[in-house]
Amino acid sequence: GKAPVVSGEPVDLGDIGSFSRADRVTFGGFVRVEGKPTGAIIARMNPAEAFRGWDLYLENGRPAYHVIDSWDKAANKVLAGAALTSGKWQHVMVTFDGSISGHQASAIFIDGKKAGSKTYPNTVGGNIETSVPLRLGSRHGGESKLNGKVALQDFRFYRRMLSPAEIEKLATNSELQHIVSLPAEKRTKEQAESVFKYFLANIDPPSRELRTVLDGLKSEQGTLRARGSVTLVMEEKKEEPFAHVLIRGGYADKGEKVGPATPAVLPPMAADAPKNRLGLARWLNDPANPLPARVTMNRTWSYLFGTGIVETNSDFGIMGARPSHPKLLDWLAAEFVDSKWDYRHMIRLMVTSAAYRQSGVVTPEKLEKDPSNHLLGRGPRHRLDAEQIRDLALASAGLLSPKVGGPSVRPYQPEGIWEAVAMPQSNTKTYRQDSGEGLYRRSLYTMWKRTAAPPTMEIFNAPTRESFCVRRALTTTPLQALALLNDPQFVEASRELASHALQAGADFDARLDFITLRLGGRTFDADERQIARKSLDFGLATYRKQPDDAMKLITTGETPPRKDADVPELAAWTLLASQVLNLDETITR
């Protein structure tokens, strides 16, 4: 059929066909060559910008394409292994997936089949867009002008990754054209179905948009699957399992043969319940069984109030403590079940209750009568856990990463902790500190070596995980104050909080309010402001005399300080922010 012959003078096609580094595109069409020409068939590429852009290319008759940021340090070239047949129309289509970090998923299809190809240097940079127009027959300025006769027909540019099946259909669309030429009533069911699929894939805008979204999700799924590994799973036995009562616990001394069931002292499972884990789960969550709800609510109460209604969270038996408010525990458990086990509902009830919202101020009389606050005569007051203190400091400074999920991270830690206890063959022999976002992820994501816990968290009573722990210890030691004052993570957080405070206001009071509201949720009274002012004045005087010490303080941590900062002033405010962070009320709920 009729087609433009790409020879002679190149033709500018205008400002079309641009795409970014993160896009997923497919482009190509029917090509006919005479001999083995070399040059750009169609290109949006600027040689003056280190060949930035893209093209569909011929190299001695072999199809190729480039996607370039800067040749050849940040570029992608895919070259087919075989040349096109001279004098014959052949379909050439290429795909580029820029959504994959690092190396790209690139391919060349000839006549609907993926061709063997070579990719190099496979190092696409971050910017491949150029302002020059799309051009037929050469790159911008006449560079790489085709040196032979080439015809191009039905060139298509898709802003999505076409599947191999779709590309094959494009290459063999002569049959589809024949079907379309037939009257609708004369088409077979299969022919009508193929036309409908073609319409959805290539013409219908909503379908094309949905397919683009689907392609993106499939790519993301592939990336997630690539990070995983195969693991074993359990399934229930086909036959009913059994076990033997072991006499005095001896494995070789087998007694009575028994099947799966609940202890006789507890309510039995339903007669129609399966005797497996599913049946056990249903039995545990049966509204008639009060124990799971009572234990869960007691543990939640202890998280919020510091102590459970039953003080021994791990022991509800006869050896455990008696509940301080038995009817309250009964009501919480019943409400939990009635709400269909809605945990958020129960949390909301507790934190909006009068018991939780009352003042933590205690009088000498109350302290004498109820030192542990079992009677809930005042608001709860207990120190935050190790992870919460670190997250509080990072969040108040605007450093905490909001990212959810992902691999464990390695934040700041003193040198030699892992090395002192590592086996020579261990893959955690040495500690390699992360950089960037990895330093500021929530403490939940901190990598934990069982024999060498993160030292700052251990100082704040985080369990070592070498043994089972049902309740954390709660201590107050000088080491905790030293950690808050000197750990690089807390010094850096104090510096960033101080930096934000300096930008938030021009006077002392506005800056101090910014810090105290962030850390303690209140502003200081007149006496406290006077103490804070003296501390700031002392810091300013000291650091103006010792600017080197001020610079050492504000350059602690990986995040650099503001370039326009007054170094002694920022150091003095950093010192004040660190003191406020160290206050008992800051790290106490």
Side-chain angles (χ1 to χ4, degrees):
K2 295 180 180 180
V5 177
V6 186
S7 61
E9 286 301 316
V11 179
D12 283 347
L13 302 177
D15 184 15
I16 56 174
S18 178
F19 63 92
S20 70
R21 164 64 175 77
D23 285 341
R24 311 170 82 233
V25 298
T26 308
F27 55 87
F30 286 92
V31 179
R32 177 185 171 132
V33 301
E34 298 291 342
K36 294 186 177 180
T38 295
I41 302 175
I42 189 168
R44 181 157 184 168
M45 184 179 292
N46 188 2
E49 294 181 285
F51 294 92
R52 179 170 292 165
W54 65 271
D55 68 10
L56 180 60
Y57 194 81
L58 287 173
E59 187 170 304
N60 294 322
R62 296 161 65 188
Y65 79 93
H66 301 82
V67 178
I68 300 173
D69 181 343
S70 176
W71 184 263
D72 61 348
K73 297 178 181 179
N76 216 13
K77 177 180 179 180
V78 182
L79 178 64
L84 297 176
T85 303
S86 179
K88 178 185 177 183
W89 281 105
Q90 290 184 270
H91 189 259
V92 179
M93 189 70 79
V94 300
T95 60
F96 173 81
D97 186 355
S99 65
I100 301 174
S101 60
H103 297 250
Q104 284 65 53
S106 306
I108 295 181
F109 293 80
I110 299 178
D111 292 333
K113 304 296 182 184
K114 190 173 182 179
S117 60
K118 180 181 180 181
T119 304
Y120 61 97
N122 208 6
T123 55
V124 178
N127 183 14
I128 62 173
E129 296 178 80
T130 179
S131 60
V132 301
L134 185 67
R135 172 170 274 215
L136 194 64
S138 78
R139 296 167 179 166
H140 187 66
E143 205 278 338
S144 293
K145 184 178 178 180
L146 273 169
N147 62 6
K149 191 175 181 181
V150 178
L152 178 64
Q153 184 175 337
D154 195 27
F155 180 81
R156 297 167 180 245
F157 184 98
Y158 295 87
R159 294 192 179 277
R160 64 181 181 88
M161 290 275 285
L162 265 62
S163 67
E166 289 176 306
I167 294 174
E168 186 175 11
K169 282 185 178 181
L170 287 175
T172 58
N173 71 348
S174 58
E175 180 183 353
L176 185 65
Q177 292 175 353
H178 167 68
I179 296 172
V180 173
S181 68
L182 295 174
E185 63 274 7
K186 291 187 177 182
R187 297 172 192 167
T188 64
K189 182 178 179 181
E190 291 75 14
Q191 289 175 332
E193 184 68 23
S194 64
V195 172
F196 180 65
K197 287 182 179 179
Y198 180 85
F199 170 78
L200 292 179
N202 300 280
I203 299 174
D204 183 51
S207 298
R208 292 172 62 184
E209 185 178 340
L210 289 172
R211 187 178 292 275
T212 301
V213 174
L214 180 61
D215 286 345
L217 292 174
K218 285 182 177 179
S219 176
E220 184 180 353
Q221 184 186 50
T223 303
L224 292 173
R225 288 185 181 277
R227 294 207 306 257
S229 58
V230 177
T231 185
L232 299 175
V233 297
M234 293 187 294
E235 64 176 354
E236 300 292 346
K237 290 183 176 180
K238 306 303 179 190
E239 67 279 0
E240 185 173 302
F242 65 89
H244 289 275
V245 175
L246 303 179
I247 307 302
R248 300 186 65 81
Y251 284 96
D253 194 1
K254 295 181 179 180
E256 179 187 0
K257 182 178 178 180
V258 294
T262 56
V265 295
L266 298 176
M269 295 175 67
D272 59 345
K275 299 299 189 290
N276 54 25
R277 288 173 295 162
L278 175 61
L280 178 61
R282 288 174 176 170
W283 176 78
L284 283 171
N285 287 277
D286 190 328
N289 181 6
L291 194 58
R294 288 170 60 84
V295 170
T296 303
M297 286 299 97
N298 189 72
R299 192 173 297 276
T300 304
W301 187 273
S302 72
Y303 291 152
L304 297 175
F305 287 83
T307 305
I309 298 172
V310 175
E311 189 174 0
T312 53
N313 275 338
S314 58
D315 191 348
F316 264 59
I318 58 173
M319 301 298 292
R322 306 301 298 168
S324 58
H325 298 72
K327 291 185 178 180
L328 173 61
L329 182 58
D330 289 344
W331 183 86
L332 288 171
E335 180 67 17
F336 190 32
V337 174
D338 291 343
S339 69
K340 301 187 184 305
W341 308 90
D342 189 339
Y343 193 72
R344 289 189 177 187
H345 166 68
M346 300 307 299
I347 291 285
R348 190 178 297 111
L349 274 178
M350 291 184 195
V351 298
T352 57
S353 67
Y356 185 82
R357 296 168 63 188
Q358 63 185 325
S359 170
V361 176
V362 56
T363 62
E365 293 78 14
K366 285 186 176 181
L367 191 61
E368 182 180 356
K369 291 181 179 179
D370 185 20
S372 299
N373 198 28
H374 284 304
L375 303 179
L376 305 176
R378 57 186 180 275
R381 184 177 176 83
H382 59 282
R383 202 204 67 217
L384 298 175
D385 287 332
E387 296 87 345
Q388 295 168 337
I389 292 174
R390 178 177 172 273
D391 291 356
L392 166 69
L394 292 177
S396 65
L399 289 172
L400 187 66
S401 167
K403 181 179 177 182
V404 175
S408 299
V409 294
R410 304 183 186 193
Y412 301 109
Q413 180 171 294
E415 295 180 0
I417 300 293
W418 282 15
E419 290 77 0
V421 296
M423 298 289 185
Q425 69 276 16
S426 172
N427 63 353
T428 57
K429 181 180 179 181
T430 57
Y431 188 86
R432 295 182 179 85
Q433 177 184 300
D434 276 331
S435 60
E437 188 183 36
L439 294 172
Y440 312 111
R441 298 292 308 279
R442 289 174 58 200
S443 302
L444 171 71
Y445 300 108
T446 298
M447 180 170 283
W448 203 288
K449 186 177 174 75
R450 186 162 51 87
T451 55
T456 302
M457 291 196 189
E458 200 167 16
I459 287 172
F460 282 98
N461 305 121
T464 64
R465 306 187 186 183
E466 290 186 272
S467 58
F468 184 70
C469 174
V470 295
R471 185 179 181 183
R472 294 190 181 193
L474 192 62
T475 63
T476 302
T477 70
L479 275 177
Q480 294 168 357
L482 289 173
L484 286 176
L485 287 169
N486 298 294
D487 187 313
Q489 193 94 77
F490 294 112
V491 174
E492 183 182 29
S494 298
R495 194 271 323 285
E496 283 299 292
L497 179 57
S499 182
H500 292 312
L502 289 173
Q503 293 177 293
D507 61 354
F508 170 78
D509 287 331
R511 293 171 178 179
L512 180 63
D513 289 346
F514 182 88
I515 293 173
T516 57
L517 284 170
R518 280 288 188 99
L519 290 173
R522 72 174 182 90
T523 57
F524 278 1
D525 60 27
D527 292 339
E528 292 168 327
R529 287 179 188 276
Q530 187 176 1
I531 295 172
R533 184 79 214 200
K534 288 181 180 179
S535 180
L536 179 68
D537 291 343
F538 174 79
L540 276 171
T542 302
Y543 288 127
R544 294 211 185 277
K545 293 177 182 177
Q546 303 171 15
D548 290 343
D549 289 345
M551 181 58 72
K552 288 180 182 179
L553 177 63
I554 70 169
T555 54
T556 300
E558 187 176 278
T559 302
R562 286 182 19 243
K563 293 182 180 179
D564 60 343
D566 180 325
V567 173
E569 183 181 40
L570 179 57
W573 277 100
T574 298
L575 191 63
L576 181 57
S578 176
Q579 291 172 340
V580 176
L581 174 62
N582 219 302
L583 289 177
D584 180 61
E585 71 171 272
T586 301
I587 61 172
T588 300
R589 185 186 302 177

